[in-house]
């Protein structure tokens, strides 16, 4: 998971200037490495190599195949989200709220973490009809949205000062409601708090999972701990999420 988290942080910066089509091609290559269709250890870009290493680590720790497939499927959705947001970054355009919410669920990067939590403790025993239940899937979505909003709010001071940083909930709400940045900020906090209330309500009202009930409750509790952990990472970082905490994209785009 540390490897995936580092990859995600690097991707966000390294491929910052990609076009949509370039990011889609990059995504295809990463997925070939993660599925094992391409077994050759990359010798070029270090990030590609890290995804190759990620697969080797999953094989070494004997991650069950069915969980690994869920994990890399969610990771593919992160990559597609990265591609889709490039359109807005490159044109310095703020998306409509409905579009933002779809993309941000992916680009928060939290869905793969939700799938990976199933590897912890004895959760790998949970059957697919539990992990794929709509109640659990909604909890995953709520985790992703809360983590995405944490990032947006904490990053806002620096993102107000640079063109292209348009995938920020506060900016989206400001445009959507034709309001001030302060009012939009409060709206973003309210949206987060509503997601949190929904998470807690769903946690306390789980459907019947028969013999898995106690384990499912513990799994959901650990999802909440994960969200709190990522929030702590965001708030404890004194360089990345402050005004001026930029990393120049190293990828050389060929697109217009």
């Amino acid at each position: 998971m540390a490897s995936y988290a580092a990859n995600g942080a690097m991707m966000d910066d390294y491929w910052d200037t990609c076009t949509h089509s370039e990011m889609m091609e990059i995504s295809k290559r990463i997925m070939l490495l993660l599925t094992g269709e391409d077994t050759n250890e990359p010798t070029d870009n270090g990030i590609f190599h890290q995804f190759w290493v990620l697969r080797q680590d999953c094989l070494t720790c004997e991650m069950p195949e069915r969980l690994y497939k869920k994990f890399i499927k969610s990771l593919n959705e992160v990559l597609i989200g990265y591609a889709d947001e490039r359109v807005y970054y490159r044109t310095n355009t703020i998306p409509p709220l409905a579009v933002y919410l779809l993309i941000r669920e992916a680009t928060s990067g939290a869905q793969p973490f939700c799938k990976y939590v199933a590897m912890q403790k004895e959760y790998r025993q949970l059957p697919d009809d539990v992990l794929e239940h709509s109640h659990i899937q909604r909890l995953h979505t709520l985790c992703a949205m809360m983590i995405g909003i944490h990032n947006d709010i904490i990053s806002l001071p620096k993102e107000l000062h640079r063109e292209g940083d348009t995938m920020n909930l506060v900016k989206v709400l400001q445009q959507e409601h034709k309001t001030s940045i302060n009012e939009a900020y409060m709206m973003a906090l309210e949206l987060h708090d509503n997601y949190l209330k929904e998470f807690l309500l769903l946690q306390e009202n789980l459907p019947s999972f028969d013999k898995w009930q106690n384990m499912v409750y513990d799994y959901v509790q650990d999802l909440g701990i994960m969200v709190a952990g990522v929030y702590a990472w965001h708030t404890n970082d004194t360089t990345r999420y402050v005004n001026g905490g930029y990393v120049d994209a190293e990828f050389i785009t060929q697109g217009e």
Side-chain angles (χ1 to χ4, degrees), residues 141-211:
T141 294
L142 292 170
C143 288
M145 295 313 302
M146 285 190 285
I147 286 174
I149 295 174
H150 293 166
N151 186 293
D152 285 359
I153 289 176
I154 293 165
S155 299
L156 183 64
K158 77 171 186 178
E159 293 186 352
L160 287 173
H161 292 85
R162 186 171 71 162
E163 284 193 357
D165 286 328
T166 56
M167 293 296 294
N168 186 297
L169 178 60
V170 178
K171 290 184 177 183
V172 171
L173 290 171
Q174 182 186 27
Q175 172 180 270
E176 193 87 1
H177 296 282
K178 305 294 188 292
T179 188
S180 69
I181 196 71
N182 288 336
E183 289 175 336
Y185 180 88
M186 296 309 296
M187 289 179 184
L189 288 176
E190 183 180 8
L191 181 58
H192 168 272
D193 289 350
N194 287 336
Y195 283 144
L196 177 57
K197 289 174 185 175
E198 183 182 350
F199 182 96
L200 295 173
L201 183 66
L202 293 179
Q203 180 183 23
E204 292 301 326
N205 293 274
L206 293 171
S208 176
F209 289 117
D210 297 324
K211 70 176 184 177

Side-chain angles (χ1 to χ4, degrees), residues 3 17 28 33 37 42 49 57 60 62 83 87 94 109 120 139 154 160 170 179-180 196 200 205 214 246:
S3 178
T17 60
K28 289 176 184 176
L33 292 169
E37 293 180 65
H49 184 264
D57 288 344
T60 300
E62 298 180 347
V87 175
I94 297 172
Q120 307 303 313
L139 286 165
I154 293 165
L160 287 173
V170 178
T179 188
S180 69
L196 177 57
L200 295 173
N205 293 274
N214 290 337
Y246 303 118

Side-chain angles (χ1 to χ4, degrees), residues 1-11 54 113 233:
M1 271 296 93
S3 178
Y4 163 63
N7 292 343
M10 288 188 290
M11 284 192 300
L54 181 61
F113 282 111
W233 174 48

Side-chain angles (χ1 to χ4, degrees), residues 38-246:
D38 182 355
T39 59
N40 298 314
E41 182 175 355
T43 58
D44 50 354
N45 188 296
I47 296 179
F48 288 120
H49 184 264
Q50 287 304 311
F51 279 106
W52 181 86
V53 170
L54 181 61
R55 174 174 169 79
Q56 309 315 307
D57 288 344
C58 287
L59 292 172
T60 300
C61 72
E62 298 180 347
M63 186 173 189
E65 185 177 1
R66 67 185 183 88
L67 295 182
Y68 182 70
K69 286 180 177 178
K70 296 180 196 298
F71 174 57
I72 63 171
K73 179 179 182 294
S74 62
L75 212 159
N76 186 48
E77 290 166 358
V78 173
L79 296 170
I80 292 171
Y82 275 140
D84 289 345
E85 70 180 2
R86 300 300 138 187
V87 175
Y88 294 96
Y89 282 152
R90 289 179 64 84
T91 58
N92 195 32
T93 304
I94 297 172
L97 178 60
V99 174
Y100 161 87
L101 292 173
L102 282 173
I103 295 176
R104 201 70 182 100
E105 180 180 350
T107 60
S108 74
Q111 286 278 9
F113 282 111
C114 291
K115 312 302 182 186
Y116 191 83
V117 170
M119 276 289 288
Q120 307 303 313
K121 301 177 181 176
E122 300 300 322
Y123 302 144
R124 68 179 70 193
Q125 297 178 18
L126 293 171
D128 286 348
D129 59 358
V130 170
L131 295 174
E132 298 299 323
H133 193 286
S134 58
H135 199 103
I136 301 301
Q137 292 298 303
R138 178 59 182 170
L139 286 165
H140 290 180
T141 294
L142 292 170
C143 288
M145 295 313 302
M146 285 190 285
I147 286 174
I149 295 174
H150 293 166
N151 186 293
D152 285 359
I153 289 176
I154 293 165
S155 299
L156 183 64
K158 77 171 186 178
E159 293 186 352
L160 287 173
H161 292 85
R162 186 171 71 162
E163 284 193 357
D165 286 328
T166 56
M167 293 296 294
N168 186 297
L169 178 60
V170 178
K171 290 184 177 183
V172 171
L173 290 171
Q174 182 186 27
Q175 172 180 270
E176 193 87 1
H177 296 282
K178 305 294 188 292
T179 188
S180 69
I181 196 71
N182 288 336
E183 289 175 336
Y185 180 88
M186 296 309 296
M187 289 179 184
L189 288 176
E190 183 180 8
L191 181 58
H192 168 272
D193 289 350
N194 287 336
Y195 283 144
L196 177 57
K197 289 174 185 175
E198 183 182 350
F199 182 96
L200 295 173
L201 183 66
L202 293 179
Q203 180 183 23
E204 292 301 326
N205 293 274
L206 293 171
S208 176
F209 289 117
D210 297 324
K211 70 176 184 177
W212 304 109
Q213 200 71 25
N214 290 337
M215 187 180 289
V216 172
Y217 185 84
D218 290 343
Y219 170 71
V220 173
Q221 186 174 39
D222 280 350
L223 288 176
I225 292 171
M226 175 196 71
V227 174
V230 178
Y231 176 74
W233 174 48
H234 283 150
T235 54
N236 290 333
D237 190 327
T238 59
T239 57
R240 179 178 172 86
Y241 299 105
V242 296
N243 187 25
Y246 303 118

